[in-house]
PDB file of all heavy atoms in Angstrom:
ATOM      1  N   MET A1067      -7.162  12.303  22.728  1.00  0.00           N
ATOM      2  CA  MET A1067      -7.188  11.583  21.416  1.00  0.00           C
ATOM      3  C   MET A1067      -6.677  12.383  20.348  1.00  0.00           C
ATOM      4  O   MET A1067      -6.930  13.644  20.319  1.00  0.00           O
ATOM      5  CB  MET A1067      -8.646  11.115  21.153  1.00  0.00           C
ATOM      6  CG  MET A1067      -8.682  10.192  19.976  1.00  0.00           C
ATOM      7  SD  MET A1067     -10.363   9.285  19.871  1.00  0.00           S
ATOM      8  CE  MET A1067     -11.284  10.536  19.172  1.00  0.00           C
ATOM      9  N   ARG A1068      -5.850  11.769  19.417  1.00  0.00           N
ATOM     10  CA  ARG A1068      -5.179  12.605  18.445  1.00  0.00           C
ATOM     11  C   ARG A1068      -6.311  12.835  17.245  1.00  0.00           C
ATOM     12  O   ARG A1068      -7.012  11.918  16.939  1.00  0.00           O
ATOM     13  CB  ARG A1068      -4.086  11.842  17.927  1.00  0.00           C
ATOM     14  CG  ARG A1068      -2.962  11.689  19.005  1.00  0.00           C
ATOM     15  CD  ARG A1068      -1.826  10.920  18.435  1.00  0.00           C
ATOM     16  NE  ARG A1068      -1.170  11.642  17.424  1.00  0.00           N
ATOM     17  CZ  ARG A1068      -0.025  11.270  16.882  1.00  0.00           C
ATOM     18  NH1 ARG A1068       0.319   9.893  17.037  1.00  0.00           N
ATOM     19  NH2 ARG A1068       0.634  11.954  15.831  1.00  0.00           N
ATOM     20  N   ARG A1069      -6.191  14.039  16.720  1.00  0.00           N
ATOM     21  CA  ARG A1069      -7.101  14.399  15.616  1.00  0.00           C
ATOM     22  C   ARG A1069      -6.447  13.888  14.318  1.00  0.00           C
ATOM     23  O   ARG A1069      -5.216  13.714  14.165  1.00  0.00           O
ATOM     24  CB  ARG A1069      -7.350  15.859  15.446  1.00  0.00           C
ATOM     25  CG  ARG A1069      -8.059  16.451  16.777  1.00  0.00           C
ATOM     26  CD  ARG A1069      -8.360  17.826  16.563  1.00  0.00           C
ATOM     27  NE  ARG A1069      -7.478  18.587  15.723  1.00  0.00           N
ATOM     28  CZ  ARG A1069      -6.554  19.501  16.229  1.00  0.00           C
ATOM     29  NH1 ARG A1069      -6.492  19.822  17.485  1.00  0.00           N
ATOM     30  NH2 ARG A1069      -5.741  20.172  15.393  1.00  0.00           N
ATOM     31  N   ASN A1070      -7.301  13.608  13.342  1.00  0.00           N
ATOM     32  CA  ASN A1070      -6.771  13.122  12.048  1.00  0.00           C
ATOM     33  C   ASN A1070      -5.775  14.137  11.384  1.00  0.00           C
ATOM     34  O   ASN A1070      -4.743  13.670  10.845  1.00  0.00           O
ATOM     35  CB  ASN A1070      -7.921  13.014  11.033  1.00  0.00           C
ATOM     36  CG  ASN A1070      -8.729  11.706  11.288  1.00  0.00           C
ATOM     37  OD1 ASN A1070      -8.255  10.741  11.969  1.00  0.00           O
ATOM     38  ND2 ASN A1070      -9.847  11.641  10.776  1.00  0.00           N
ATOM     39  N   ASN A1071      -5.987  15.419  11.564  1.00  0.00           N
ATOM     40  CA  ASN A1071      -5.008  16.429  11.027  1.00  0.00           C
ATOM     41  C   ASN A1071      -3.599  16.191  11.680  1.00  0.00           C
ATOM     42  O   ASN A1071      -2.686  16.344  11.022  1.00  0.00           O
ATOM     43  CB  ASN A1071      -5.536  17.889  11.264  1.00  0.00           C
ATOM     44  CG  ASN A1071      -6.529  18.225  10.159  1.00  0.00           C
ATOM     45  OD1 ASN A1071      -6.793  17.570   9.221  1.00  0.00           O
ATOM     46  ND2 ASN A1071      -7.242  19.302  10.491  1.00  0.00           N
ATOM     47  N   ASP A1072      -3.638  15.927  12.962  1.00  0.00           N
ATOM     48  CA  ASP A1072      -2.348  15.752  13.671  1.00  0.00           C
ATOM     49  C   ASP A1072      -1.656  14.537  13.065  1.00  0.00           C
ATOM     50  O   ASP A1072      -0.481  14.626  12.838  1.00  0.00           O
ATOM     51  CB  ASP A1072      -2.579  15.518  15.187  1.00  0.00           C
ATOM     52  CG  ASP A1072      -3.120  16.634  15.895  1.00  0.00           C
ATOM     53  OD1 ASP A1072      -2.985  17.900  15.360  1.00  0.00           O
ATOM     54  OD2 ASP A1072      -3.744  16.615  17.002  1.00  0.00           O
ATOM     55  N   ILE A1073      -2.433  13.449  12.811  1.00  0.00           N
ATOM     56  CA  ILE A1073      -1.723  12.314  12.347  1.00  0.00           C
ATOM     57  C   ILE A1073      -1.299  12.407  10.912  1.00  0.00           C
ATOM     58  O   ILE A1073      -0.188  12.122  10.528  1.00  0.00           O
ATOM     59  CB  ILE A1073      -2.714  11.150  12.388  1.00  0.00           C
ATOM     60  CG1 ILE A1073      -3.062  10.724  13.886  1.00  0.00           C
ATOM     61  CG2 ILE A1073      -2.263   9.895  11.615  1.00  0.00           C
ATOM     62  CD1 ILE A1073      -4.328   9.710  14.025  1.00  0.00           C
ATOM     63  N   LEU A1074      -2.102  13.142  10.149  1.00  0.00           N
ATOM     64  CA  LEU A1074      -1.706  13.520   8.714  1.00  0.00           C
ATOM     65  C   LEU A1074      -0.372  14.324   8.649  1.00  0.00           C
ATOM     66  O   LEU A1074       0.522  14.167   7.873  1.00  0.00           O
ATOM     67  CB  LEU A1074      -2.776  14.095   7.997  1.00  0.00           C
ATOM     68  CG  LEU A1074      -4.021  13.146   7.624  1.00  0.00           C
ATOM     69  CD1 LEU A1074      -5.105  14.084   7.017  1.00  0.00           C
ATOM     70  CD2 LEU A1074      -3.551  12.010   6.690  1.00  0.00           C
ATOM     71  N   GLU A1075      -0.338  15.332   9.577  1.00  0.00           N
ATOM     72  CA  GLU A1075       0.783  16.308   9.654  1.00  0.00           C
ATOM     73  C   GLU A1075       2.058  15.487   9.971  1.00  0.00           C
ATOM     74  O   GLU A1075       3.059  15.554   9.430  1.00  0.00           O
ATOM     75  CB  GLU A1075       0.558  17.410  10.702  1.00  0.00           C
ATOM     76  CG  GLU A1075      -0.434  18.394  10.051  1.00  0.00           C
ATOM     77  CD  GLU A1075      -0.699  19.526  11.221  1.00  0.00           C
ATOM     78  OE1 GLU A1075      -0.066  19.632  12.151  1.00  0.00           O
ATOM     79  OE2 GLU A1075      -1.689  20.307  10.885  1.00  0.00           O
ATOM     80  N   GLU A1076       1.874  14.550  11.056  1.00  0.00           N
ATOM     81  CA  GLU A1076       3.096  13.800  11.445  1.00  0.00           C
ATOM     82  C   GLU A1076       3.444  12.822  10.293  1.00  0.00           C
ATOM     83  O   GLU A1076       4.737  12.651  10.103  1.00  0.00           O
ATOM     84  CB  GLU A1076       2.613  12.887  12.675  1.00  0.00           C
ATOM     85  CG  GLU A1076       3.863  12.124  13.212  1.00  0.00           C
ATOM     86  CD  GLU A1076       3.558  11.497  14.438  1.00  0.00           C
ATOM     87  OE1 GLU A1076       2.588  11.750  15.161  1.00  0.00           O
ATOM     88  OE2 GLU A1076       4.354  10.677  14.831  1.00  0.00           O
ATOM     89  N   SER A1077       2.571  12.301   9.668  1.00  0.00           N
ATOM     90  CA  SER A1077       2.803  11.429   8.456  1.00  0.00           C
ATOM     91  C   SER A1077       3.560  12.146   7.398  1.00  0.00           C
ATOM     92  O   SER A1077       4.575  11.666   6.857  1.00  0.00           O
ATOM     93  CB  SER A1077       1.469  10.783   7.926  1.00  0.00           C
ATOM     94  OG  SER A1077       1.792  10.115   6.819  1.00  0.00           O
ATOM     95  N   ASP A1078       3.109  13.317   6.999  1.00  0.00           N
ATOM     96  CA  ASP A1078       3.854  14.070   6.031  1.00  0.00           C
ATOM     97  C   ASP A1078       5.241  14.532   6.544  1.00  0.00           C
ATOM     98  O   ASP A1078       6.079  14.403   5.682  1.00  0.00           O
ATOM     99  CB  ASP A1078       3.025  15.386   5.814  1.00  0.00           C
ATOM    100  CG  ASP A1078       1.816  15.137   4.985  1.00  0.00           C
ATOM    101  OD1 ASP A1078       1.584  14.002   4.428  1.00  0.00           O
ATOM    102  OD2 ASP A1078       0.936  16.006   5.128  1.00  0.00           O
ATOM    103  N   ARG A1162      -0.040   5.261   1.851  1.00  0.00           N
ATOM    104  CA  ARG A1162       0.321   6.581   1.324  1.00  0.00           C
ATOM    105  C   ARG A1162       1.787   6.518   0.857  1.00  0.00           C
ATOM    106  O   ARG A1162       2.683   6.028   1.558  1.00  0.00           O
ATOM    107  CB  ARG A1162       0.150   7.697   2.342  1.00  0.00           C
ATOM    108  CG  ARG A1162      -1.256   7.931   2.648  1.00  0.00           C
ATOM    109  CD  ARG A1162      -1.522   8.984   3.631  1.00  0.00           C
ATOM    110  NE  ARG A1162      -0.660  10.236   3.331  1.00  0.00           N
ATOM    111  CZ  ARG A1162      -0.555  11.247   4.006  1.00  0.00           C
ATOM    112  NH1 ARG A1162      -1.375  11.362   5.028  1.00  0.00           N
ATOM    113  NH2 ARG A1162       0.133  12.237   3.670  1.00  0.00           N
TER     114      ARG A1162
END
Side-chain angles (χ1 to χ4, degrees):
M1067 186 163 83
R1068 296 175 71 180
R1069 295 187 330 252
N1070 283 341
N1071 281 349
D1072 294 338
I1073 294 170
L1074 291 174
E1075 287 175 14
E1076 183 174 345
S1077 174
D1078 288 341
R1162 289 180 49 178

